[in-house]
Amino acid sequence: MAPVLRILGVAAAYLTSLATAETYASAELSARQAPDFTPPQLLQVVFNASELFGWQLAGRAIKTQDIADLCNNTQAVGHGKWAPIGLSPLYIAEPSCELGSARLPDPQVIHSGAVVSNTNIFITQILNVFNQSNMIDDLTYICKNIQGNRLTPFGINTDHFLDVICGAGRARVPHPANNTSCQLSQAQLSDFKTTISNIFAYELATSSATADQAADLCKSAPRYAQRLTAQGLDAGVVQKVLCSVKQPLSNNEASAAISKYSTSAFIQTIVGASDVKGWTTWLCKNLDVQHLNAVALNGTVVLQQICAPDAGRAGRCV
């Protein structure tokens, strides 16, 4: 079994036990008392990824009852399939419980919530994917060379990201100094949209416990298209994935697909985040495969792509 799937398996075992918790308070207490073999950085990624998925599900809702069900019956909505792949039903439910079911949420509210969760995922990753013995120097380099206005299109709150990373590296840099006139290309933006749409689609597809449920997800996809588009997902990509799943996905199949696209999202974000000369070369030398694996990324794939001779091409202006 690939290292990243073993790591997700650890999270899944832990989250399956959490799935029966009766209240958020007990879940949060259990999280603080997590077993020693569950890396805290992995739990941070898992909880924020689950919350991100929860925001997207809430944004997909076309009836207020959908919001109520997500809050009160998350396990039933997901047919018990989310915890076994390392997603937390409690954190998936949290956005819907926060929103309430009086009316459907505004897409901007969904976007804002999703950005918070996505930013927290990326912060946790950046704080943990380098060799910890040289962490302060690494974070200082990131702070000085990452470009804030290139992070925003990847769903990152630039100010919060820089506050945390620059603070941890003890090299706070004025935000304007981190900006660049070199904008992301339409191809980069399109590729990233496709990637995050695939993540959401496979997380949603995982909820099917029978072939009939899988067929229902495919059949109903057009009804949700407008709500998905409004939150920045590609409804066509989501429908394509849902309609390709004819039978329930196994835990390994679901985890492998989500890991594949989550790893791609990280690569696209970190490569696209700067057009500084030597950026990808520095990343290649300093990213650590085991630390990448520990935050549910495929470290081998990350390094293969970032260390490729043309890896920095996406960040360059022409």
Side-chain angles (χ1 to χ4, degrees):
M1 184 184 296
V4 68
L5 295 187
R6 285 199 297 271
I7 288 167
L8 287 173
V10 169
Y14 172 61
L15 291 169
T16 299
S17 69
L18 276 189
T20 57
E22 294 181 356
T23 66
Y24 287 100
S26 64
E28 289 168 355
L29 177 62
S30 298
R32 291 196 294 271
Q33 296 172 340
D36 291 341
F37 61 79
T38 308
Q41 67 269 31
L42 174 60
L43 289 181
Q44 289 171 7
V45 169
V46 165
F47 290 156
N48 280 294
S50 301
E51 192 172 68
L52 172 59
F53 181 46
W55 282 111
Q56 292 168 329
L57 284 175
R60 170 181 177 267
I62 55 176
K63 298 180 295 184
T64 56
Q65 186 59 47
D66 295 338
I67 302 291
D69 288 343
L70 281 167
C71 174
N72 299 317
N73 302 298
T74 317
Q75 279 286 82
V77 172
H79 302 104
K81 296 286 297 291
W82 284 324
I85 65 164
L87 290 171
S88 166
L90 290 158
Y91 280 79
I92 292 172
E94 195 165 278
S96 290
C97 294
E98 179 183 324
L99 289 165
S101 56
R103 59 188 177 87
L104 290 176
D106 184 84
Q108 186 55 48
V109 173
I110 296 298
H111 174 74
S112 297
V115 165
V116 171
S117 300
N118 192 51
T119 301
N120 288 336
I121 293 170
F122 193 56
I123 286 172
T124 300
Q125 290 170 334
I126 294 300
L127 289 174
N128 290 281
V129 293
F130 301 100
N131 190 308
Q132 299 300 287
S133 64
N134 199 40
M135 185 176 71
I136 291 179
D137 287 344
D138 290 337
L139 295 180
T140 299
Y141 180 89
I142 291 282
C143 174
K144 289 182 176 180
N145 291 281
I146 210 165
Q147 289 157 330
N149 63 331
R150 289 176 67 99
L151 274 180
T152 302
F154 293 110
I156 305 295
N157 182 320
T158 296
D159 289 345
H160 181 50
F161 175 83
L162 290 174
D163 283 345
V164 174
I165 300 304
C166 296
R170 302 200 202 104
R172 186 173 298 277
V173 175
H175 291 181
N178 293 82
N179 290 334
T180 174
S181 59
C182 178
Q183 302 298 313
L184 296 170
S185 69
Q186 285 303 309
Q188 286 174 287
L189 297 173
S190 177
D191 287 348
F192 183 71
K193 185 175 184 177
T194 297
T195 298
I196 61 173
S197 300
N198 271 290
I199 296 171
F200 171 78
Y202 278 103
E203 289 173 338
L204 179 58
T206 300
S207 66
S208 297
T210 67
D212 285 345
Q213 289 168 0
D216 286 344
L217 280 177
C218 171
K219 191 182 302 182
S220 65
R223 296 206 302 270
Y224 298 94
Q226 187 174 355
R227 296 285 292 176
L228 293 179
T229 300
Q231 58 177 296
L233 295 172
D234 187 323
V237 169
V238 174
Q239 181 172 347
K240 182 178 179 180
V241 170
L242 294 177
C243 293
S244 73
V245 177
K246 308 298 184 183
Q247 297 290 333
L249 295 170
S250 70
N251 294 341
N252 278 348
E253 288 171 334
S255 295
I258 294 166
S259 170
K260 172 185 174 181
Y261 289 107
S262 296
T263 297
S264 292
F266 174 80
I267 294 169
Q268 290 165 345
T269 302
I270 194 68
V271 169
S274 180
D275 67 341
V276 170
K277 185 177 181 180
W279 174 248
T280 54
T281 301
W282 181 87
L283 289 172
C284 175
K285 290 179 179 178
N286 289 278
L287 288 168
D288 181 87
V289 65
Q290 292 183 342
H291 286 86
L292 287 160
N293 289 339
V295 288
L297 297 168
N298 188 321
T300 300
V301 170
V302 171
L303 290 178
Q304 283 175 344
Q305 294 194 23
I306 287 181
C307 296
D310 64 345
R313 183 173 299 170
R316 291 198 294 266
C317 285
V318 292

